[in-house]
Amino acid sequence: MLSLSWLAEHTRRQQRRLRIAEAGTREAVLHLLLNGHTSAARQIAKALRPALPAMVRVYVIEGPPRVRGQLVGELTDVAEGAWIVPCPVYADHLFMLAPGDGAPAPVWPPELAASCWIGESSAVPLRETATGYAQAFHALAAARGRPERQASFAANPDLAPTIGPAAATWAEAFLSPIRTHRARRAQDPDSAELLATAASWLSFYSRATAHLNIHRNTLSARLTCIQELLGLDLHRLADQAALALALRTIAAEIPPPPEGDATWAGEMLPTLDELLSLPRVGAWAQQQFRPVTAPDVPACIAETLTTWLRLDARIGPTATALSISTSAVRKRLTRSEALLKRSLLRSPSAIHDQWLALRALDLAEPSEVPRHFAGLSGST
């Protein structure tokens, strides 16, 4: 009897160690995917099963942290072939990676749909899992305002392809100090690590430590290095938005202008303001703000959003400038999230796109801005 009891206890301990090891390995696969290391993620996932598909849909499920383990079991039953991992950034989120190549959508259990919010991305290539995660997060912000408690990502044109080849020329010059950086010591970050840190911080801010699995002092040192190399002040939303656009342009692999195209070639590199002054960018900017400038939306919603953007997304100064309480600012921004179908107050956020759209409206000729957008423009 004692021998059997010992064997059963030993087996339970071994099973617990295996569960912990598998959970850690699955989280490592998620980190690899979110940081663009697709080949390594595929190799590890192949051993764990199921294998990662070429096209995926990302789901972010928000629910009480105390029932996260129970939710994993329920989702495993309804989503065949999916990867389900507790989100390393937010304790109340689950990350689910499901096949996106025509596979049927999961049928959510009634108790799950009643107690959680669900955001779904569009189908994206596996190498763009980070993009899918951001899409699902924006869809989650829209789901919080819906009675069905779930939403799919509502796609908008991206700014970098809207600008076109000139964006590639500008981004290459903008990021050149980092891309040509060489670490002085073995323990110092190289250019790839700095670019990954910049992208993670712009998406998660202080939570980038959990996303990158690094210490906060390491994050702070890398951000200082990035600021010194690029000559930026990352406390300013304008500098954050410029860096975010440059990184997205490089990731989108937009081809540079043809050899014979002399526009912004050689020494005539474009500035960000010149890019944002293009007429097609002005049309893109109007589309970004159209949901909050609709006739049936109170004018205070757009006023609060634009004031908040001009004041570096700080709640306190925005409340002071509008002579309202901080809770009123948050309520109006939450309403803006529901209208825009984008996350603003939690990262990953659409805040950089919204700032760039506002700047484009500021730079547009008055004759090019429709009357209902006129109140948005002004000095930045």
Side-chain angles (χ1 to χ4, degrees), residues 21-35 37 40-41 44 48 83 85 88 213:
E22 182 176 346
T25 307
R26 289 183 180 274
E27 184 175 323
V29 169
L30 175 58
H31 278 289
L32 289 169
L33 288 173
L34 292 177
N35 289 297
H37 304 296
I44 299 173
L48 291 177
W83 274 70
V85 184
N213 200 20

Side-chain angles (χ1 to χ4, degrees), residues 174-375:
F174 187 92
L175 294 175
S176 177
I178 288 185
R179 298 181 72 140
T180 58
H181 172 72
R182 297 291 180 269
R184 296 180 181 177
R185 302 174 299 173
Q187 64 268 34
D188 290 341
D190 59 15
S191 60
E193 288 175 312
L194 291 178
L195 289 171
T197 300
S200 178
W201 184 81
L202 289 169
S203 293
F204 300 106
Y205 294 105
S206 61
R207 293 177 183 268
T209 54
H211 178 231
L212 296 171
N213 200 20
I214 59 175
H215 192 272
R216 63 178 181 271
N217 292 343
T218 303
L219 175 65
S220 178
R222 291 185 185 180
L223 291 175
T224 299
C225 182
I226 291 166
Q227 291 184 106
E228 291 174 351
L229 288 171
L230 298 180
L232 300 178
D233 178 2
L234 291 180
H235 293 98
R236 296 182 66 242
L237 188 52
D239 287 359
Q240 293 177 27
L243 179 55
L245 176 60
L247 290 170
R248 288 210 313 270
T249 302
I250 297 299
E253 299 180 350
I254 297 174
E259 289 284 338
D261 189 353
T263 306
W264 287 324
E267 297 179 359
M268 297 177 60
L269 290 173
T271 65
L272 179 57
D273 278 357
E274 287 173 333
L275 297 179
L276 296 178
S277 299
L278 295 170
R280 57 182 178 273
V281 175
W284 170 86
Q286 293 171 26
Q287 184 173 347
Q288 294 296 113
F289 276 99
R290 186 167 286 114
V292 296
T293 56
D296 58 338
V297 177
C300 64
I301 300 298
E303 180 189 23
T304 302
L305 175 59
T306 54
T307 303
W308 180 67
L309 291 170
R310 296 184 195 283
L311 294 175
D312 291 327
R314 293 177 296 169
I315 298 287
T318 303
T320 302
L322 298 174
S323 299
I324 58 176
S325 66
T326 56
S327 62
V329 173
R330 291 185 181 277
K331 287 179 181 178
R332 292 180 185 181
L333 292 175
T334 301
R335 177 72 189 283
S336 297
E337 286 184 323
L339 292 167
L340 296 169
K341 299 180 181 178
R342 294 291 185 272
S343 175
L344 295 173
L345 295 172
R346 293 184 77 178
S347 301
S349 167
I351 188 173
H352 301 127
D353 273 350
Q354 293 300 134
W355 186 93
L356 291 165
L358 183 61
R359 181 60 178 164
L361 291 175
D362 288 343
L363 296 169
E365 294 292 334
S367 60
E368 297 175 356
V369 180
R371 184 179 303 173
H372 54 283
F373 289 100

Side-chain angles (χ1 to χ4, degrees), residues 94-140:
L94 279 175
F95 179 100
M96 188 171 92
L97 200 67
D101 49 358
V107 179
W108 308 109
E111 59 275 13
L112 175 67
S115 61
C116 299
W117 290 271
I118 302 167
E120 177 189 5
S121 78
S122 55
V124 297
L126 183 65
R127 66 178 179 276
E128 297 179 15
T129 300
T131 300
Y133 174 72
Q135 290 182 0
F137 202 89
H138 291 314
L140 181 65

